[in-house]
Amino acid sequence: MITVARYTRTTENRLGSLFWADGEMISDYQVFGDVLAFDSTYRSNKYKKPLVVFSGSNHHKQTSIFGFVLLEDEEVRTYRWVLLNLLDVMGQKRPCVVVTDGDKAMRAAIAEVMPAATHRLCAWHLEKNCVQRVKDLEFRKVFKKALYANFEVDDFELYWKSSVESLGIVDNTWVQNMYETRESWEWPTYGAHSVRGFLKSTDSILELVHSLDRVVKDYRNNEVTAQFYSTYYTPVLTTGLDSIELFASKVYTRAIFREVKKQIKGVASLLFRSRDSISTTSVYQFSKMGKPNKIHKVLYDPNEEKIECECSIWNSEGIPCSHIFCVMKYEGLEEIPEGLILSRWCKDAKGWSSKPPQVTDGPQGRLLRYGALSGLMNLVARLGSEDPAEFVVAREGIASLVEDLQRRAYRRVGSQLGLSMPPALKDPPVSKTKGAPRKGKEVEPEPGSKCEIPTKRRRCTSCGVHGHTKKTCTWHRAHRGPDTEGGAVPGCAECSSGMGSAPSATLRDKSAGRFQNSERNIDETGDLGHTASLHREGATPGGESHGNDVSRMSNPTRHTNEELLEHWLSQDRAFVVDVNRMPWAGHRAAEGMVAHRSKHKLLVQWAITGIASSVFASNVSV
């Protein structure tokens, strides 16, 4: 969302030049923008517009793209507009070195907008021009070696002079021009010529942008992979200077460590010549085996931990040379001095411990910080997705960080508005609703609420059962005779607001089979531990009952009601009696028996119509 785009309009209201860069490009430029490659390519779109790629080298010596430009033309004013917008988007950070392909208009714009930057010529373009300008195959080999070999100044001069004279091309104009610009030669950068394979000459602007986006993602994936191996890479120490080599492997990325290790190995080929002292500075002199006349001087100041060598490898490549490592060996140093560690080559060049961007205020600073954090989160996502356990660690860490940042943001905004941190939010209290309460299971009120005080439950005045009133009592309406005034009938516990006054036909049919056997083993259903046979006298196969059935049912054959109740109360465990299997279930004379035993009390609810006396008609508590 922080992609920046700048464009111009032509006099015909058409698109002129177009520049764009995303947040991670801006962040990478802040770290690796000391060297900027300014490269252009052609025939990359159907509009024939030249494409310019701003790129550099990251801490793994890989291509890092900083932005793209579609040029209206290749005039100085157009290049000036491009460079001014580049500096504006990048927070006015100016590069130290600018590498180009040698275009004159481009060089003029660089000299005008970035006068302090050192201009260099890309070796890849120089090699390509050599193929076009010089047909001598032998000179092409000589020129390629002169470009990429690490020569000393004197050795280069001797090699070039002898090669040109032997090939007889001393008078070649292009060869003379290249020799005059030898100080501007720069190792190749991988800019526009590295993206040509992804572009087509028939691409529209939208297709071109999508193709370049895939290129950028591919480069970034390579960077994340290299960073992963650098982080978990454990080197094999082979140079003999184990402490220095191990320290270098922890500081530098894997690609840079390979170059540093070559310099450490070079210590074995150096010969110590002398050591002198000038004030607090020690002057060492070394020569290389096989070249005794070539002396290199190294200056070492222990007070400032500063080491300088005249070979200038540190100035050109940013790593200590073998002469410096040799001085460290004689001085007994086990770590590379901090002044000799270039931050752009370190593993944490883009890490959380690296320095923040210079621009810290305004929208521009926010964009730079957003881009830097986006790059770090890409690395977190890559490492956290490798393993389920690592994913959990990454997810919990990110969640904790988000909570902390949200808390800090609230405090920052609240302090500006005079607000304080609110307490933790609790559940809302239980409100007292209007109307009659719902029937069924009651919701226990929350402790401390107004509903905590228990209320007395209403009881039917006819049958004495909770849950309904005399007006809604079904038993009262069904059994009230002409001489009954609505009083409670002893022994009735069948009353319920949802029960009919008479047993249904279906219930009579289902219970008819159970009436055949008048004796039941209550141990199977009620867990009573003994056999109790309860005979119903006068019961018909259809399960119909008359008024005098109640008096006959109140006289069990073998046990009285008091004996059964006394036995149930003496049990040591809770039990439930299935009233459907009792002999009187056909008339639904027994609604249910439920017993619950706890540590302090035994609650027994027993409801039997026509069996229990009025004392046990309702709830019995012991």
Side-chain angles (χ1 to χ4, degrees):
M1 71 177 189
I2 63 173
T3 295
V4 180
R6 305 283 177 86
Y7 62 92
T8 61
R9 296 173 182 266
T10 64
T11 56
E12 293 138 359
N13 200 25
R14 295 180 179 271
L15 177 66
S17 299
L18 173 64
F19 166 80
W20 74 94
D22 62 25
E24 193 164 350
M25 294 177 184
I26 300 174
S27 177
D28 289 344
Y29 181 85
Q30 301 300 319
V31 182
F32 309 117
D34 49 353
V35 178
L36 175 65
F38 198 99
D39 194 10
S40 60
T41 183
Y42 306 89
R43 295 184 297 275
S44 60
N45 53 85
K46 68 179 182 180
Y47 307 100
K48 310 300 181 183
K49 286 181 174 291
L51 173 67
V52 173
V53 180
F54 292 112
S55 63
S57 179
N58 61 14
H59 50 324
H60 301 286
K61 284 198 170 183
Q62 298 174 336
T63 300
S64 181
I65 295 180
F66 304 140
F68 299 100
V69 181
L70 276 176
L71 297 177
E72 179 182 357
D73 52 46
E74 295 183 279
E75 300 295 332
V76 176
R77 60 176 180 79
T78 303
Y79 283 119
R80 186 190 304 113
W81 177 88
V82 169
L83 293 177
L84 289 175
N85 279 274
L86 173 68
L87 295 179
D88 184 52
V89 170
M90 300 302 176
Q92 298 299 325
K93 177 182 174 62
R94 297 175 181 269
C96 300
V97 179
V98 179
V99 183
T100 69
D101 58 0
D103 184 82
K104 293 182 179 180
M106 190 185 299
R107 296 178 64 177
I110 293 173
E112 182 180 350
V113 180
M114 305 175 182
T118 302
H119 181 259
R120 290 290 183 265
L121 298 175
C122 177
W124 186 86
H125 289 90
L126 293 177
E127 183 183 357
K128 181 180 178 182
N129 292 336
C130 178
V131 174
Q132 297 175 353
R133 299 297 184 88
V134 181
K135 303 304 179 183
D136 194 330
L137 296 179
E138 291 298 326
F139 178 77
R140 294 178 184 177
K141 296 179 181 179
V142 171
F143 186 68
K144 185 175 182 179
K145 183 177 180 180
L147 285 174
Y148 301 116
N150 191 10
F151 282 108
E152 296 284 346
V153 176
D154 297 337
D155 296 338
F156 175 82
E157 296 292 341
L158 180 61
Y159 174 76
W160 181 269
K161 183 178 180 180
S162 60
S163 299
V164 171
E165 291 179 353
S166 62
L167 295 174
I169 54 175
V170 178
D171 299 332
N172 187 293
T173 305
W174 188 87
V175 174
Q176 292 177 357
N177 292 336
M178 287 298 100
Y179 178 75
E180 293 174 359
T181 60
R182 62 191 181 279
E183 294 182 357
S184 300
W185 297 354
E186 181 63 39
W187 280 21
T189 56
Y190 301 95
H193 59 274
S194 63
V195 303
R196 286 195 181 98
F198 298 87
L199 307 178
K200 298 180 180 179
S201 59
T202 58
D203 285 347
S204 64
I205 292 182
L206 181 61
E207 293 171 339
L208 176 68
V209 171
H210 287 172
S211 298
L212 294 175
D213 185 58
R214 289 193 295 268
V215 174
V216 172
K217 289 181 179 179
D218 186 58
Y219 283 152
R220 290 174 179 172
N221 182 71
N222 295 338
E223 179 183 338
V224 172
T225 303
Q227 182 69 21
F228 178 82
Y229 285 113
S230 295
T231 303
Y232 297 99
Y233 168 70
T234 302
V236 178
L237 307 180
T238 59
T239 61
L241 301 177
D242 294 347
S243 58
I244 298 177
E245 184 181 0
L246 182 61
F247 177 81
S249 67
K250 294 180 179 179
V251 173
Y252 295 109
T253 61
R254 195 176 182 185
I256 302 302
F257 175 69
R258 296 193 191 101
E259 304 297 328
V260 175
K261 192 171 183 178
K262 292 179 182 178
Q263 299 297 330
I264 298 176
K265 288 182 177 180
V267 175
S269 63
L270 296 180
L271 299 176
F272 175 78
R273 291 300 182 182
S274 64
R275 178 182 180 275
D276 299 326
S277 297
I278 302 176
S279 183
T280 60
T281 303
S282 301
V283 181
Y284 285 86
Q285 293 187 2
F286 301 98
S287 64
K288 193 172 183 179
M289 295 181 62
K291 297 181 180 180
N293 298 328
K294 186 61 178 179
I295 304 297
H296 291 278
K297 293 181 180 180
V298 183
L299 305 179
Y300 171 62
D301 188 353
N303 295 331
E304 298 181 3
E305 293 186 351
K306 185 177 181 180
I307 307 178
E308 294 182 359
C309 180
E310 63 180 4
C311 72
S312 299
I313 291 181
W314 160 256
N315 296 331
S316 61
E317 299 183 24
I319 60 175
C321 61
S322 58
H323 311 105
I324 293 178
F325 283 117
C326 195
V327 172
M328 294 173 59
K329 170 186 174 182
Y330 281 100
E331 293 293 336
L333 301 180
E334 297 183 353
E335 296 182 357
I336 301 175
E338 185 177 356
L340 293 176
I341 300 176
L342 196 61
S343 60
R344 72 173 337 273
W345 297 136
C346 298
K347 294 180 180 179
D348 60 347
K350 296 177 63 176
W352 61 270
S353 59
S354 59
K355 295 182 180 179
Q358 298 295 329
V359 181
T360 56
D361 298 329
Q364 189 67 33
R366 179 179 176 273
L367 294 179
L368 296 177
R369 293 189 294 271
Y370 186 93
L373 294 177
S374 298
L376 294 178
M377 292 308 299
N378 287 337
L379 181 59
V380 171
R382 174 63 181 268
L383 298 177
S385 61
E386 295 292 334
D387 183 79
E390 302 298 333
F391 168 76
V392 174
V393 173
R395 182 185 60 185
E396 293 179 352
I398 293 175
S400 176
L401 179 61
V402 168
E403 292 179 0
D404 183 59
L405 291 176
Q406 289 178 342
R407 192 179 304 109
R408 291 171 62 90
Y410 185 89
R411 291 175 180 173
R412 183 179 67 255
V413 177
S415 62
Q416 297 175 357
L417 301 178
L419 303 177
S420 59
M421 194 70 178
L425 191 64
K426 299 180 180 181
D427 292 340
V430 179
S431 302
K432 185 177 180 180
T433 59
K434 298 180 180 180
R438 291 185 177 181
K439 300 179 180 180
K441 185 177 181 180
E442 297 182 356
V443 180
E444 295 184 0
E446 182 181 355
S449 63
K450 296 181 180 181
C451 301
E452 185 178 1
I453 302 176
T455 57
K456 185 176 180 180
R457 297 179 61 187
R458 300 186 61 181
R459 182 191 300 270
C460 178
T461 57
S462 298
C463 62
V465 178
H466 295 286
H468 63 277
T469 62
K470 176 181 177 181
K471 295 181 180 180
T472 59
C473 180
T474 57
W475 183 93
H476 177 75
R477 294 196 303 268
H479 296 82
R480 184 173 57 180
D483 55 349
T484 305
E485 297 297 333
V489 177
C492 177
E494 188 183 2
C495 298
S496 174
S497 60
M499 184 184 301
S501 58
S504 62
T506 304
L507 181 60
R508 290 195 303 269
D509 295 341
K510 291 183 178 179
S511 60
R514 292 195 292 267
F515 292 158
Q516 302 299 326
N517 188 3
S518 62
E519 296 185 6
R520 298 290 182 184
N521 188 350
I522 303 181
D523 192 18
E524 298 177 359
T525 59
D527 197 16
L528 300 181
H530 68 287
T531 303
S533 300
L534 302 177
H535 295 272
R536 180 185 176 202
E537 298 178 1
T540 63
E544 299 179 356
S545 176
H546 302 280
N548 57 355
D549 290 342
V550 175
S551 60
R552 289 196 296 271
M553 288 177 62
S554 63
N555 297 319
T557 306
R558 299 185 180 180
H559 299 281
T560 64
N561 296 331
E562 291 77 10
E563 291 175 346
L564 289 175
L565 178 62
E566 188 70 16
H567 181 77
W568 292 338
L569 293 178
S570 65
Q571 298 298 307
D572 292 334
R573 60 186 182 274
F575 61 91
V576 177
V577 179
D578 187 1
V579 298
N580 292 327
R581 301 185 63 179
M582 300 297 285
W584 51 80
H587 285 271
R588 301 190 65 179
E591 176 66 17
M593 306 178 195
V594 178
H596 175 73
R597 181 179 179 85
S598 62
K599 183 176 180 181
H600 301 289
K601 65 181 179 179
L602 176 66
L603 302 178
V604 178
Q605 182 176 357
W606 186 36
I608 303 176
T609 303
I611 298 179
S613 62
S614 61
V615 179
F616 303 102
S618 59
N619 296 342
V620 178
S621 300
V622 179

